[in-house]
């Protein structure tokens, strides 16, 4: 139940509402109980079932003396005021208690609504913040569909299974305590009979709760699998259609969905069993009390009117017990979802920032990799890499697939942390720098364009807080994007659709370049920015990149080697090592791996 306590700990952010909810719930229970107690004078006035004492009895705090005192008082009022007036007074008192009870209940719910929605809001904010600061490696190891399930379905389950039971968790235990205390005061002997039934019910409910939690965990994991299949299908719908795999993917989805449904059927059946079980146990207890209590009344040991109130209050104690049992079942189910939810919140932040991290707003001299090694947990992806990139120069990184090119540049903005060695900017290790200021020095244009379902202007200005429309338009002109943007129906205010799918590949890429132009970073990373484009789009994008690179320090990863022949230095990587280094002409003359790569490609 530890995840449940972590959820409930969020209530500390709403102390005023929590205190008021408890106060009004307590008052609701007091007035509710008072309305039931008013049944005693009703019965005595109407039927006179008890003979009043000849003299006023002494008033003391026990059931027998209080009953005798009340019967004597009612007899006096009835004789003085008459039956109808007494009934009117008692009726007014009953209505007053009932009105106040319901008013207190409303006020309790009024303040609880702030807590319920506030807790859910904070949980949602916390997990979104956590997702944004988790390292890139975390998302490489996790299925995106499962993460979406944890952030949506698991959180919703926490909201309905945990947060929505707050009223039961606060009100029902107090309700049970007040009602039980009243029953004990009226007849400890009868209440003892009821307690003899409860241990069996509690034991059975505990067994059901454990099974419910176990199956809930399985169910949520399998729902994550369903979301994962759905996410893969939506992301690769073109490939599915082109290979005619619609029916096969449908079978995969149906199998995952069937497993989830079977598990949730078990969860639903066990959840629904707890409430009827508690009611059956309560009914058994009530039957025993009717028999045993009837004997006490017949034997003159208990007033009939008091016994009637005992039965009514006993019947009223069963619903809060049922509600508490149902809340317990919901908590068991919610505990599984909360555990999965907190697994994301507790995920280790591998990319940590030092408390005294230095903010760096400018790039002055050089970037240096010193004996850098990196692995994802197995073999080395980068093996003792050394290089220096002076300010204003362009280094191109080439090599076969899997050589470690992208990993080399991903280490610079600290998407991953190096295993050993050191990376320095202007002589300062990047681990000593403020992460946001470090990444603020860089602009990244990759093969995969990162665009959002927003306007053209907002996509170009992504990451900038202070800018003007004129600056956006100038960045678009530099990126050769201004022409096609003006042809759109709403120009820079046009929505480009999910991930910019309303645009061509070349247009998406030029918007990414325009974003880098507007940011105007001193360090530029180009990761195969033109490799997925056709010849016409590549020409336009390459021209835009050439404009972007002017006066900047650039690291270019290139698949098409014709685009990097003018680089100041070309690094050739193989199996995580830099095996060749030099200009285009020098490397051609050496006749090594670079020459072989050149020979494999045709140039215009």
């Amino acid at each position: 139940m530890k995840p449940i306590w972590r959820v409930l700990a969020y209530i500390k952010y709403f102390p005023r509402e929590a205190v008021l909810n408890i106060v009004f719930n307590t008052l609701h229970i007091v007035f509710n109980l008072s309305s039931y107690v008013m049944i005693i004078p009703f019965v005595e006035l109407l039927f006179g079932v008890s003979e009043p004492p000849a003299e006023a009895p002494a008033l003391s705090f026990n059931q027998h003396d209080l009953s005798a005192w009340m019967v004597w008082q009612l007899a006096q009022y009835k004789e003085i005021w008459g039956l109808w007036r007494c009934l009117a007074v008692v009726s007014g008192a009953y209505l007053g208690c009932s009105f106040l009870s319901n008013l207190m209940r409303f006020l309790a719910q009024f303040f609880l609504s702030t807590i319920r929605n506030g807790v859910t809001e904070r949980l949602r904010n916390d997990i979104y913040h956590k997702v944004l600061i988790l390292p890139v490696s975390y998302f490489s190891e996790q299925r995106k569909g499962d993460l979406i399930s944890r952030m949506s379905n698991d959180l919703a389950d926490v909201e309905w299974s945990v947060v929505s039971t707050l009223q039961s968790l606060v009100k029902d235990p107090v309700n049970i305590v007040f009602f039980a205390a009243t029953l004990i005061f009226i007849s400890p002997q009868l209440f003892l009979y009821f307690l003899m039934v409860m241990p069996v019910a509690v034991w059975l409910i505990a067994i059901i709760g454990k099974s419910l939690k176990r199956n809930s965990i399985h169910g949520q994991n399998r729902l994550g699998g369903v979301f994962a299949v759905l996410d893969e299908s939506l992301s690769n719908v073109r490939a599915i259609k082109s290979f005619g795999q619609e029916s096969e993917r449908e079978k995969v989805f149906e199998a995952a969905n069937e497993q989830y449904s079977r598990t949730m059927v078990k969860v639903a059946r066990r959840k629904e069993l707890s409430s009827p079980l508690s009611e059956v146990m309560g009914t058994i207890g009530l039957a025993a009390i009717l028999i045993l209590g009837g004997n006490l009344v017949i034997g003159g040991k208990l007033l009939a009117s008091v016994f009637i109130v005992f039965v009514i209050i006993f019947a009223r104690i069963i619903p809060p017990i049922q509600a508490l049992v149902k809340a317990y079942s919901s908590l068991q189910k919610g505990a599984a979802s909360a555990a999965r939810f907190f697994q994301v919140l507790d995920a280790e932040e591998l990319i940590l920032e030092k408390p005294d991290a230095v903010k760096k707003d400018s790039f002055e001299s050089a970037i240096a990799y010193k004996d850098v090694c990196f692995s994802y947990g197995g073999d080395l992806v980068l093996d003792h890499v050394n290089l220096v990139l002076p300010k204003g120069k362009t280094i191109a990184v080439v090599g076969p697939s899997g050589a470690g090119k992208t990993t080399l540049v991903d280490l610079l903005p600290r998407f991953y942390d190096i295993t050993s060695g050191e990376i320095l900017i202007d002589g300062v290790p990047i681990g000593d720098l403020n992460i946001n200021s470090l990444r603020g020095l860089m602009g990244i244009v990759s093969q995969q364009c990162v665009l959002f379902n927003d306007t053209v202007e907002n996509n170009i200005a992504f990451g900038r807080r202070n800018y003007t429309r004129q600056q956006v338009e100038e960045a678009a002109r530099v990126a050769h994007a201004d022409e096609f943007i003006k042809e759109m129906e709403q120009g820079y205010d046009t929505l480009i659709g999910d991930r910019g799918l309303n645009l061509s590949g070349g247009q998406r890429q030029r918007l990414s370049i325009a974003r880098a132009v507007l940011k105007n970073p001193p360090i530029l990373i180009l990761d195969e920015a033109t490799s997925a484009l056709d010849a016409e789009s590549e020409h336009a994008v390459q021209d835009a990149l050439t404009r972007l690179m002017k006066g900047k320090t650039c690291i270019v990863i290139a698949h098409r080697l014709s685009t990097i022949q003018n680089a100041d230095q070309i690094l050739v990587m193989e199996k995580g090592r830099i095996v060749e280094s030099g200009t285009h002409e020098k490397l051609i003359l050496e006749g090594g791996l670079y020459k072989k790569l050149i020979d494999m490609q045709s140039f215009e």
Side-chain angles (χ1 to χ4, degrees), residues 386-416:
N386 290 278
L387 68 91
V388 175
L389 175 57
K391 180 180 179 180
K393 300 295 184 180
T394 296
I395 283 184
V397 185
V398 301
S401 297
K405 303 184 297 295
T406 298
T407 302
L408 181 73
V409 297
D410 281 348
L411 295 178
L412 187 57
R414 291 192 70 190
F415 292 154
Y416 304 92

Side-chain angles (χ1 to χ4, degrees), residues 297-310:
V297 173
I298 293 172
K301 297 179 180 179
L302 187 67
L303 291 179
S305 57
V306 174
F307 176 62
I308 292 171
V309 171
F310 185 96

Side-chain angles (χ1 to χ4, degrees), residues 264-339:
M264 295 314 293
V265 166
K266 294 179 182 179
V267 171
R269 287 173 177 172
R270 283 162 176 75
K271 183 179 179 181
E272 294 304 323
L273 179 61
S274 57
S275 184
L277 180 63
S278 63
E279 185 169 352
V280 168
M281 292 298 176
T283 304
I284 293 172
L286 179 60
I289 284 171
L290 288 173
I291 295 172
L292 298 171
N295 287 330
L296 292 176
V297 173
I298 293 172
K301 297 179 180 179
L302 187 67
L303 291 179
S305 57
V306 174
F307 176 62
I308 292 171
V309 171
F310 185 96
V311 172
I312 292 174
I313 294 177
F314 178 82
R316 293 301 302 168
I317 202 176
I318 293 177
I321 292 175
Q322 285 182 296
L324 202 58
V325 168
K326 189 174 182 180
Y328 175 77
S329 298
S330 294
L331 287 177
Q332 290 294 328
K333 184 176 183 296
S337 297

